[in-house]
Amino acid sequence: MNASSAFDYGQALDKSLLFFEAQRSGKLPRTQRVNWRGDSGLTDGYQQKVNLVGGYYDAGDHVKFGLPMAYTVTMLSWGAIEYHRNMMDLNQMGHVLDAIKWGTDYFIKAHSQPNVLWGQVGDGDSDHYCWERAEDMTTPRTAYKLDTEHPGSDLAGETAAAMAAASMAFRPYNSSYSDLLLVHAKQLFWFADRFRGLFTDSIPCAKEFYTSSGFEDELLWAATWLYRATNDESYLKYVVDNAASMGGTGWATKEFSWDNKYAGVQILLSKVLLDGHGGAYTATLKQYKAKADYFACACQQKNDGYNAPMTPGGLLYLHEWNNMQYAASAAFLLAVYSDYLTAAKSVLTCPDANVQPHELLTFAKSQADYILGKNPKSMSYIVGYGPNYPIHVHHRGASIASISVVHSVVGCVQGFDAWYHRPAANPNVIHGGLVGGPDRNDNFDDDRSNYEQTEPTLSGTAPLVGLFSKLHSLNLGPIPTTSPSPTKGHPGSYSHAKAPTKPYGAPVEFLHSITNSWTVGGIQYYRHKVIIKNTSEKPITDLKLVIENLSGSLWGLTPTLTKNIYELPQWSKVIKPGSECSFVYVQGGPQAKVSIQSYH
């Protein structure tokens, strides 16, 4: 895959992770890279005699909304679980875990008792009356909690899911922290399930900003993540026993978001079935999978007319306000489902046609590429990525000069007069923020007051971390034979390269390397990377490889109908002279044998 003809997903990932640093509330660490931010919200919870310092500001404002923050941590963790090796190759795993931990450390404080969860800090209405930096905040920092008399099963359930998923993400690196997260996840799930209700009935001031459509999906979501984190069959029994009553096998959706988790539940449970672990629950898991397929087929436009809406330029379009987050979450979900189907050697059966797993990945890539600039406006909707991106982002901190530059306090009204209405570009670049994006006709107005289109959110950027990690693994340019040493305190990766081999008479050479290894059940597994380089003076097309003795999963190639024969992905059929592409496979024991069957 020629890097010059593709987007730099590694750089896009790096930008995305910077966004979470820019959204931090609390005492900033010495490792903080976004240096236009300073400490803020240092007395959060003080009035209520609870320490709620930390966590994330939601979007362009300074409210800490629990539901989208918890969903954000779940999605960051899911990305880390599925694509940790890709993140390690990019030397980003430490930053990803930092982003997750900034959220989970806050949730540990917020879950101050088994049946108490502080769900919000700040009030949206009063916050929106002011335009000021987080470091200058004058608005009330009222904290709101859930307890047995004021339940919130959606918020507590999503926080339980976040803690369970994060416990999996941290398991290989910090087992004691992982164990602690799991304790909180179990307690929160019990609280959410035992004391049922909508969180907006207990925290009414959240309703205007994050109205939950129901809590049943979050209960199923939390139980599913707890099953995945613990392998405790009682959680699987829960999602099966409650499949019909909670809508898990009834709701067919075209949306996956901070509010609607059904498609995520259905795809996670499809993995259980595809992995052959359904057992006595197989019949119900098949019903879950049917709804997962509905979501995937609707995105693929092969769902007998019941398809997800698209813009003329090819973007999923579900909501007028901040639509881009729905495209991002759908793209991540389809990339994951593609991997699950590929591992099971299965295909997606849609009403209009069968869909190969790589086609789901192609669609996910199309959404990522639209976000990064392949759209009618040639605009990157990730702030700071590429030559053309929004510069009037609806974000208080980004739109006002940093406290390190303008040391005096910028007052509530002064912020509107001096900075909000300023026609100039924002003085600070909020790198990695995914803005709301274009309208249904691919039109976009880069205006600070146009918050529907120019405001970035936690929940929008979070799915991109996993998605960009996955896509980078399919789009690798030249890499060094030895990866950089991991940052102190962060997991990294090491590579031990073997000498390149050039098949006799073929105009390519292979470079084999081992980028990671681990032990499971006494068996040593290795992650192999194979770089294919065109050493001729002509482009190579229709390259078909023979891969023998392969016992594990493979990424970056597409299987053909012939056993052991693979070809390059649909979007990378040509290797230009001097260019490289690569694929990765996991193997226990000796490496697989790679050779060329044919090429043009």
Side-chain angles (χ1 to χ4, degrees):
M1 217 163 293
N2 188 348
S4 65
S5 66
F7 290 105
D8 187 341
Y9 301 116
Q11 186 192 71
L13 169 65
D14 189 57
K15 301 286 187 191
S16 300
L17 290 166
L18 287 173
F19 176 67
F20 295 100
E21 294 193 20
Q23 295 301 103
R24 284 171 171 168
S25 179
K27 181 75 177 173
L28 300 182
R30 277 183 281 182
T31 54
Q32 174 82 8
R33 295 177 293 170
V34 180
N35 55 21
W36 52 264
R37 279 297 323 282
D39 300 341
S40 62
L42 298 180
T43 60
D44 282 359
Y46 178 78
Q47 289 176 323
Q48 289 79 20
K49 296 182 172 59
V50 60
N51 180 2
L52 296 176
V53 176
Y56 288 110
Y57 299 124
D58 178 60
D61 53 23
H62 299 132
V63 182
K64 296 193 292 200
F65 288 109
L67 184 60
M69 195 196 307
Y71 168 78
T72 294
V73 170
T74 309
M75 296 308 293
L76 287 171
S77 301
W78 196 357
I81 292 162
E82 300 292 345
Y83 304 123
H84 60 281
R85 295 185 193 96
N86 310 27
M87 293 170 179
M88 288 169 73
D89 282 349
L90 286 159
N91 210 29
Q92 293 283 14
M93 195 68 207
H95 293 307
V96 175
L97 293 177
D98 282 346
I100 295 168
K101 195 170 186 290
W102 197 265
T104 52
D105 282 352
Y106 171 76
F107 296 146
I108 289 170
K109 295 177 182 178
H111 185 215
S112 55
Q113 299 173 45
N115 293 335
V116 173
L117 177 65
W118 293 86
Q120 183 174 318
V121 179
D123 171 68
D125 285 328
S126 60
D127 182 272
H128 286 198
Y129 288 136
C130 288
W131 195 262
E132 56 192 354
R133 299 173 295 200
E135 296 81 6
D136 297 333
M137 265 193 295
T138 56
T139 51
R141 300 299 291 167
T142 310
Y144 303 88
K145 72 175 177 179
L146 306 176
D147 56 29
T148 56
E149 295 181 1
H150 307 90
S153 303
D154 32 19
L155 173 49
E158 181 61 67
T159 311
M163 299 296 236
S167 77
M168 292 183 68
F170 273 97
R171 177 63 60 191
Y173 313 110
N174 188 336
S175 60
S176 60
Y177 189 66
S178 174
D179 290 341
L180 175 63
L181 295 176
L182 209 46
V183 169
H184 284 278
K186 290 175 180 178
Q187 288 182 350
L188 281 163
F189 175 66
W190 192 91
F191 169 53
D193 187 41
R194 176 71 178 79
F195 301 95
R196 294 186 182 181
L198 289 170
F199 90 98
T200 46
D201 290 339
S202 298
I203 308 177
C205 61
K207 190 174 291 188
E208 184 183 343
F209 305 95
Y210 285 98
T211 301
S212 173
S213 58
F215 58 75
E216 292 83 1
D217 54 329
E218 276 85 10
L219 290 175
L220 294 173
W221 179 240
T224 302
W225 274 111
L226 276 161
Y227 172 66
R228 193 162 174 188
T230 64
N231 211 28
D232 181 340
E233 195 175 296
S234 66
Y235 294 112
L236 184 59
K237 186 177 187 299
Y238 181 95
V239 298
V240 167
D241 289 348
N242 293 286
S245 63
M246 291 186 175
T249 53
W251 276 102
T253 68
K254 302 169 191 173
E255 171 189 318
F256 174 58
S257 68
W258 60 264
D259 177 38
N260 191 331
K261 315 296 168 17
Y262 281 119
V265 171
Q266 290 152 359
I267 283 176
L268 279 174
L269 293 176
S270 296
K271 175 177 168 57
V272 179
L273 184 70
L274 290 165
D275 288 350
H277 299 148
Y281 308 114
T282 296
T284 304
L285 293 176
K286 283 182 177 178
Q287 294 176 50
Y288 272 109
K289 185 178 180 299
K291 294 301 186 286
D293 291 350
Y294 180 99
F295 173 84
C297 294
C299 291
Q300 290 289 127
Q301 309 295 296
K302 291 180 168 58
N303 204 36
D304 193 25
Y306 296 95
N307 296 317
M310 306 278 289
T311 69
L315 179 72
L316 280 173
Y317 193 84
L318 297 165
H319 293 277
E320 279 186 43
W321 191 331
N322 206 311
N323 173 70
M324 201 59 97
Q325 64 178 315
Y326 303 99
S329 56
F332 172 82
L333 206 53
L334 292 175
V336 168
Y337 200 26
S338 168
D339 288 344
Y340 294 170
L341 291 168
T342 298
K345 296 183 170 57
S346 185
V347 299
L348 174 66
T349 304
C350 295
D352 299 340
N354 282 354
V355 176
Q356 297 295 325
H358 71 82
E359 294 179 73
L360 292 180
L361 192 56
T362 300
F363 181 84
K365 183 178 183 296
S366 75
Q367 299 304 291
D369 289 353
Y370 187 108
I371 288 169
L372 293 176
K374 190 177 180 180
N375 57 61
K377 292 286 184 186
S378 296
M379 164 81 75
S380 165
Y381 294 105
I382 294 280
V383 181
Y385 178 91
N388 183 29
Y389 53 81
I391 57 174
H392 301 96
V393 181
H394 182 92
H395 188 280
R396 287 159 178 74
S399 68
I400 303 173
S402 170
I403 197 161
S404 62
V405 175
V406 176
H407 301 294
S408 57
V409 171
V410 175
C412 174
V413 177
Q414 180 192 359
F416 279 111
D417 294 342
W419 298 99
Y420 182 78
H421 298 296
R422 220 167 140 255
N426 287 355
N428 308 310
V429 179
I430 180 87
H431 284 289
L434 176 67
V435 297
D439 65 16
R440 66 178 67 252
N441 295 311
D442 302 295
N443 295 316
F444 179 77
D445 183 16
D446 184 12
D447 187 315
R448 205 171 289 118
S449 63
N450 179 18
Y451 49 83
E452 293 96 337
Q453 291 191 327
T454 63
E455 186 171 21
T457 61
L458 293 175
S459 54
T461 301
L464 295 176
V465 170
L467 179 64
F468 290 150
S469 298
K470 169 65 178 179
L471 293 177
H472 180 269
S473 72
L474 309 175
N475 194 35
L476 292 169
I479 61 167
T481 56
T482 304
S483 302
S485 298
T487 306
K488 185 177 181 182
H490 292 323
S493 60
Y494 300 92
S495 174
H496 307 285
K498 296 187 177 182
T501 58
K502 184 171 182 178
Y504 179 75
V508 301
E509 65 180 20
F510 296 141
L511 177 66
H512 298 264
S513 64
I514 295 174
T515 60
N516 197 13
S517 67
W518 61 98
T519 303
V520 179
I523 300 174
Q524 186 82 2
Y525 288 87
Y526 298 92
R527 183 175 186 269
H528 298 263
K529 180 175 289 177
V530 183
I531 296 176
I532 309 166
K533 183 172 183 178
N534 182 355
T535 58
S536 73
E537 297 179 355
K538 295 181 179 179
I540 294 175
T541 61
D542 297 323
L543 178 66
K544 288 189 169 54
L545 301 178
V546 183
I547 304 181
E548 300 170 275
N549 306 325
L550 179 67
S551 61
S553 301
L554 180 146
W555 299 268
L557 295 176
T558 301
T560 67
L561 296 176
T562 306
K563 184 180 179 182
N564 296 341
I565 306 298
Y566 296 80
E567 59 187 6
L568 297 180
Q570 192 173 7
W571 57 84
S572 177
K573 290 294 188 186
V574 181
I575 310 178
K576 294 181 179 179
S579 293
E580 299 173 347
C581 66
S582 69
F583 64 93
V584 173
Y585 66 93
V586 173
Q587 187 91 338
Q591 71 178 41
K593 181 182 177 184
V594 181
S595 57
I596 292 176
Q597 187 204 44
S598 61
Y599 64 93
H600 289 115

